[in-house]
Amino acid sequence: MLKLTSAKQLITLITSCILFSLFFSPSATARPKIGLALSGGGAKGSAHVGVLKILEENNIQIDYIAGTSIGSFVGAMYALGYSADEIEAIMLNTPWEEGYSDAIPREDLPLRIKQQNDQFNIPLTLGIDKGKVKMPGGFLRGQTMSELLREALGLHPDFDSFDELAIPYRAIATDLVNNEAVVLKKGDLVASVQASSTVPGALAPAQIDGYLLVDGGISNNMPVDVVKQMGADIVIAVDIGNDLRRKDKLHGTFAVLGQLSAFLTTATTELQKQKLDKEDILLKPDIQGLGTTDWSILDKALIKGQEVARQHLEQLQQLRSDDESYAAYLQQKKKDHLALLIRASAPIARVKIDNNSPVHSALIHKKMKLHGQNRLTAKQINLAIDELYSIDEFQRVDARMIQTPTGNELQIIPRKKSWGPNYIAFGLGWESDFSLNSNLNFDLAYTKKDITRYGGEWRSQIELGAERALNTELYLPLTPTRLLYSRSFYSYDFLNWDVFDQNQLLLDIQQKSHSIEQGFGWNWTQSGALELGMSAETGEFENELVFEEKLKYDSYGGYLLFTYDALDSISFPTQGSYYSAQIYARKEESNSLNTNNSHHLTDSLFVELNWKAALNLGNHAFVGKASYSEVFTRNDQSSVYFSNLGGFLNLSGYHKNALIGRQKVFASVVYQYDLGRSLLKLQQYPLYVGLSAETGNAGTDIRSSDLIAASTLYVGTDTRLGPVAIGFGANSANHQAVYFYLGKNF
């Protein structure tokens, strides 16, 4: 009996061992958890996608992802459930180079801002706060980059944990205060990726949970340790960081700065490499020579990622899952991806403006036009944000989605400029015709902003050089949406008027004047305004050869101003149109030019009309321009007001303002070819070659027979300092001139 019992026990024991080995052995069920650590490296980040493509081809499941900088973006996309092919398509079709500029297109700016930017062209951003000079925290504000990330990733409601993604995920940033790595594991996915990618100095630091965050590459460029802490048994680490330059390559400022940056990221990467175990796999694509900021190399870097993964295929295939298991993994990943998309596209229950700026909320709501829409794509939200951001009163306008029991809540977060509330602006202009006319002008303005709840501002400026003036203006919006406004203006001007005869300098007349205007206007569109008001002026003209005594005058009356400006550039437009009309009805009183010094009284009506428009056909543009002005007086009496014509693209061949009279007519057509973008492959700064046909004159009772024909051949470009141009002009009156312009609009 004892033997039988022992036999049964033995059989039971053997059976148990077999079953345990079949169902519970590590080789059968305990697949090692695989983590992916993706480093930073800018445009070379598509190499990560190349690695992912090879992993997918070989049935390698990824259980955890952590990334830094561009690695955080690729990692986030994969964690959301996108396939490597889908990430490739999104990444290669995203205009990443646009993320290096937060400049608002000129045609989108408010009319008032356009006019100020055209004059104050030096790109130096300075603020004044309590007597201290302040500057932005970075060269860029990150507005455009956040929109690129939002459109690529989608706008997902905040996550309680990034473990809720299809693959658990972490983004690495650096605490700017203490240079410690911060592991972002919850919250706004777009904000986390951008914080991880915020290059210090180039971008203003991101603010999350009380931290000031910059690029994670400074503290942990390849987060092997983070992936291990998440639970990975085996780590696949991809290093796309820059190698240090050799001594013979360290020439120039940018090379030295690049080397200093590489010191930081290389040091943190080397520390992470020491955390790799023998079963972990390090992939370092051969990406030498590929630029961090050159987004044209995305396809090349992707191939390099595939190549390095294939070189390590023997190691990688040890992590391969069988077809059935991998199919189940993909099915679950697609299911989770679909659930995340449904979560993000849930109806919007409400739109909340979390206004962190002095701009009135009524104006914010008017610009965004989001109320009443319960389903919005990331692209639609970006367009609404662009509309608001274009008023140029914010450092950033962010968006985030919050999941609530009644639906998603869309939060719009306009952030005030950190370097305000008052600002200094500089302008510089130089124009020359390489003869007697060479004018250098410098402008300085100080603006005190938000002096009223609707956005009132007090602006004072000084103009030095050939055109000298001191003026101040009080601009007061009268309604929350700034539809109506009041404008009070005073100016003291000191001008030198060169008088020419047959394009030869005859004499110069000095004019000094004080003028005031009080107007009330209607901003009928962001690009257009209509203003009615009253004006008064007192001044004097002086020249010993012309006037025995100073010609003193006083005038007062009313005016009408109409302006619409939607040009993409004031000097080299390729699209848009411009219209303006000025009408001044005045009573003038002056001492007569006669020796008896009797007073001269007259009523005058000054009318000026201007038009400019551009049509773009690829790299070709056609620009039309026309202007007319005239002073009407009772019984053709004289007036102290007049018009000028002459100069570059304004009846070329003449000196600037060489023609003078009570009437002016002018028209031109310009053909402009973008040589820079077409042949030279310049993207940031175009190079235009242009040819004009012009006609016009200035004088009294101009007839068609009085019109002078002119033409200009020029080369020019738009830069951050404004237009730069050099040209040669000639006209039918046998006058020629060579012109040079820098920062001066024409």
Side-chain angles (χ1 to χ4, degrees):
M1 190 72 178
L2 287 173
K3 291 181 179 179
L4 182 61
T5 303
S6 298
K8 288 182 176 179
Q9 289 175 340
L10 181 60
I11 292 170
T12 301
L13 179 61
I14 293 172
T15 303
S16 299
C17 290
I18 293 172
L19 291 173
F20 181 83
S21 66
L22 288 174
F23 297 102
F24 297 101
S25 67
S27 62
T29 61
R31 181 185 65 81
K33 298 294 185 181
I34 302 170
L36 199 58
L38 304 179
S39 76
K44 296 175 290 184
S46 56
H48 292 319
V49 185
V51 170
L52 290 173
K53 291 170 78 73
I54 302 303
L55 297 182
E56 289 183 348
E57 288 175 8
N58 288 274
N59 289 11
I60 297 174
Q61 302 181 36
I62 300 300
D63 301 284
Y64 307 101
I65 302 177
T68 297
S69 196
I70 191 66
S72 73
F73 168 75
V74 176
M77 293 291 289
Y78 206 62
L80 282 167
Y82 290 99
S83 69
D85 287 341
E86 289 171 326
I87 299 173
E88 177 187 2
I90 292 172
M91 197 168 185
L92 268 61
N93 287 287
T94 298
W96 298 107
E97 63 281 353
E98 294 180 6
Y100 294 121
S101 174
D102 288 322
I104 302 167
R106 184 185 184 278
E107 60 268 28
D108 295 336
L109 287 166
L111 175 63
R112 182 174 171 80
I113 302 297
K114 287 187 181 85
Q115 294 169 337
Q116 292 172 357
N117 288 353
D118 289 343
Q119 179 179 3
F120 299 97
N121 56 312
I122 297 178
L124 181 60
T125 306
L126 293 179
I128 301 291
D129 184 19
K130 299 177 181 177
K132 296 181 179 180
V133 177
K134 299 171 67 176
M135 297 183 69
F139 181 71
L140 299 173
R141 307 178 196 179
Q143 180 68 32
T144 306
M145 185 58 72
S146 69
E147 294 184 9
L148 291 174
L149 292 174
R150 188 178 301 120
E151 192 157 339
L153 292 164
L155 185 58
H156 295 267
D158 283 9
F159 294 95
D160 294 331
S161 169
F162 290 152
D163 290 345
E164 300 171 21
L165 300 179
I167 301 173
Y169 164 80
R170 302 290 185 266
I172 314 303
T174 301
D175 185 348
L176 188 60
V177 176
N178 56 28
N179 191 31
E180 292 182 355
V182 175
V183 180
L184 300 171
K185 58 183 71 173
K186 65 177 182 177
D188 186 338
L189 185 62
V190 171
S192 297
V193 172
Q194 185 163 11
S196 178
S197 311
T198 297
V199 179
L203 289 162
Q207 299 185 40
I208 297 179
D209 296 333
Y211 291 104
L212 280 178
L213 300 177
V214 293
D215 197 299
I218 298 172
S219 58
N220 189 347
N221 195 47
M222 192 174 67
V224 173
D225 58 344
V226 176
V227 180
K228 287 182 176 290
Q229 291 165 10
M230 293 172 73
D233 300 308
I234 298 176
V235 175
I236 301 172
V238 187
D239 177 15
I240 60 168
N242 289 327
D243 288 336
L244 297 178
R245 294 172 183 249
R246 300 192 309 269
K247 182 178 180 180
D248 59 339
K249 300 294 183 180
L250 292 174
H251 299 296
T253 303
F254 291 107
V256 173
L257 291 176
Q259 185 82 329
L260 294 175
S261 175
F263 282 158
L264 298 173
T265 57
T266 301
T268 65
T269 301
E270 291 302 318
L271 287 174
Q272 290 300 310
K273 287 179 182 179
Q274 297 174 17
K275 300 179 185 297
L276 292 170
D277 298 319
K278 62 179 181 179
E279 66 270 18
D280 297 328
I281 301 172
L282 174 64
L283 305 178
K284 186 169 178 56
D286 181 15
I287 49 177
Q288 295 307 306
L290 301 184
T292 303
T293 59
D294 183 5
W295 295 97
S296 67
I297 55 92
L298 285 174
D299 54 344
K300 298 178 184 177
L302 188 143
I303 293 172
K304 295 294 185 181
Q306 291 176 300
E307 289 176 352
V308 75
R310 289 194 182 102
Q311 292 166 10
H312 291 76
L313 207 52
E314 185 176 345
Q315 288 176 278
L316 291 171
Q317 285 182 336
Q318 295 177 16
L319 308 178
R320 182 184 182 95
S321 297
D322 60 79
D323 291 344
E324 185 178 351
S325 298
Y326 192 70
Y329 164 78
L330 289 181
Q331 185 177 8
Q332 183 61 48
K333 189 179 173 185
K334 289 180 180 179
K335 181 180 177 182
D336 293 340
H337 177 62
L338 180 60
L340 290 169
L341 295 181
I342 293 173
R343 178 178 181 268
S345 61
I348 297 175
R350 64 189 133 316
V351 177
K352 179 182 176 183
I353 305 296
D354 186 6
N355 190 5
N356 184 26
S357 77
V359 177
H360 200 283
S361 294
L363 179 59
I364 295 174
H365 283 290
K366 176 187 176 184
K367 289 294 179 184
M368 299 208 68
K369 304 173 185 175
L370 287 177
H371 285 286
Q373 303 187 53
N374 61 1
R375 291 188 185 275
L376 291 165
T377 65
K379 185 172 184 177
Q380 289 172 319
I381 293 170
N382 279 346
L383 289 173
I385 287 175
D386 283 341
E387 186 71 20
L388 175 60
Y389 185 70
S390 69
I391 69 174
D392 199 26
E393 303 229 5
F394 307 104
Q395 177 166 326
R396 285 263 297 273
V397 179
D398 292 322
R400 67 188 304 179
M401 199 83 80
I402 305 295
Q403 199 170 29
T404 71
T406 58
N408 289 339
E409 177 181 279
L410 175 61
Q411 293 185 357
I412 304 298
I413 311 164
R415 304 185 187 278
K416 66 180 179 181
K417 294 179 179 179
S418 60
W419 58 96
N422 308 313
Y423 305 95
I424 299 175
F426 304 91
L428 178 68
W430 179 26
E431 56 182 305
S432 174
D433 60 13
F434 298 97
S435 59
L436 54 89
N437 272 1
S438 183
N439 298 329
L440 182 66
N441 295 280
F442 178 76
D443 301 332
L444 171 67
Y446 173 75
T447 304
K448 190 172 181 62
K449 297 278 289 184
D450 303 311
I451 59 176
T452 65
R453 61 187 297 235
Y454 296 158
E457 63 179 48
W458 181 16
R459 183 181 189 87
S460 299
Q461 64 186 55
I462 184 170
E463 301 173 26
L464 302 173
E467 301 171 1
R468 287 163 284 176
L470 178 66
N471 54 60
T472 188
E473 179 187 62
L474 187 63
Y475 182 86
L476 302 175
L478 302 176
T479 61
T481 60
R482 304 183 183 176
L483 184 65
L484 304 176
Y485 67 87
S486 165
R487 186 179 68 92
S488 306
F489 179 79
Y490 162 78
S491 182
Y492 170 68
D493 296 271
F494 185 93
L495 303 173
N496 280 331
W497 294 105
D498 292 332
V499 180
F500 296 86
D501 181 31
Q502 296 298 315
N503 208 34
Q504 298 296 316
L505 182 63
L506 191 62
L507 52 88
D508 66 278
I509 298 175
Q510 292 81 44
Q511 180 186 10
K512 298 178 183 179
S513 66
H514 298 267
S515 60
I516 58 172
E517 291 181 347
Q518 174 58 57
F520 294 93
W522 171 35
N523 291 311
W524 55 280
T525 181
Q526 181 143 310
S527 296
L530 177 67
E531 181 176 319
L532 288 167
M534 303 293 292
S535 69
E537 182 176 347
T538 182
E540 61 184 31
F541 292 92
E542 182 178 6
N543 182 284
E544 295 180 355
L545 297 177
V546 177
F547 312 121
E548 294 183 6
E549 305 243 349
K550 295 179 181 178
L551 174 60
K552 298 183 178 181
Y553 68 92
D554 298 292
S555 70
Y556 63 91
Y559 67 83
L560 169 69
L561 303 178
F562 170 85
T563 309
Y564 176 81
D565 184 353
L567 293 173
D568 60 347
S569 168
I570 191 63
S571 296
F572 297 110
T574 60
Q575 61 183 9
S577 57
Y578 171 90
Y579 307 89
S580 73
Q582 298 183 42
I583 302 175
Y584 281 83
R586 301 181 176 99
K587 288 188 175 294
E588 299 181 35
E589 180 178 357
S590 63
N591 55 301
S592 173
L593 299 183
N594 297 328
T595 55
N596 60 16
N597 204 32
S598 61
H599 282 280
H600 175 74
L601 300 173
T602 189
D603 295 328
S604 68
L605 179 67
F606 176 82
V607 177
E608 182 177 65
L609 306 174
N610 292 287
W611 168 79
K612 194 173 188 179
L615 175 65
N616 178 264
L617 298 172
N619 293 314
H620 308 269
F622 296 89
V623 183
K625 181 179 177 182
S627 62
Y628 161 79
S629 64
E630 188 165 359
V631 180
F632 301 92
T633 58
R634 185 183 302 168
N635 299 323
D636 288 333
Q637 293 177 305
S638 61
S639 169
V640 296
Y641 299 99
F642 49 87
S643 297
N644 298 89
L645 185 61
F648 182 55
L649 295 177
N650 287 285
L651 213 58
S652 301
Y654 283 105
H655 297 300
K656 182 182 178 181
N657 296 332
L659 302 175
I660 187 171
R662 64 189 301 165
Q663 186 182 52
K664 176 186 75 173
V665 292
F666 176 76
S668 71
V669 176
V670 179
Y671 166 72
Q672 190 169 274
Y673 179 66
D674 191 344
L675 182 67
R677 289 193 176 97
S678 61
L679 297 180
L680 304 180
K681 306 302 179 183
L682 302 175
Q683 295 301 320
Q684 188 172 8
Y685 298 123
L687 181 64
Y688 298 113
V689 177
L691 179 66
S692 72
E694 310 159 32
T695 186
N697 206 339
T700 303
D701 297 328
I702 298 172
R703 303 172 185 271
S704 59
S705 58
D706 299 322
L707 296 178
I708 299 168
S711 184
T712 309
L713 178 65
Y714 66 88
V715 177
T717 184
D718 257 331
T719 72
R720 289 179 58 82
L721 279 175
V724 178
I726 186 166
F728 172 76
N731 58 54
S732 58
N734 295 320
H735 301 302
Q736 300 87 33
V738 176
Y739 301 100
F740 173 77
Y741 273 72
L742 169 64
K744 190 73 174 178
N745 303 310
F746 44 82

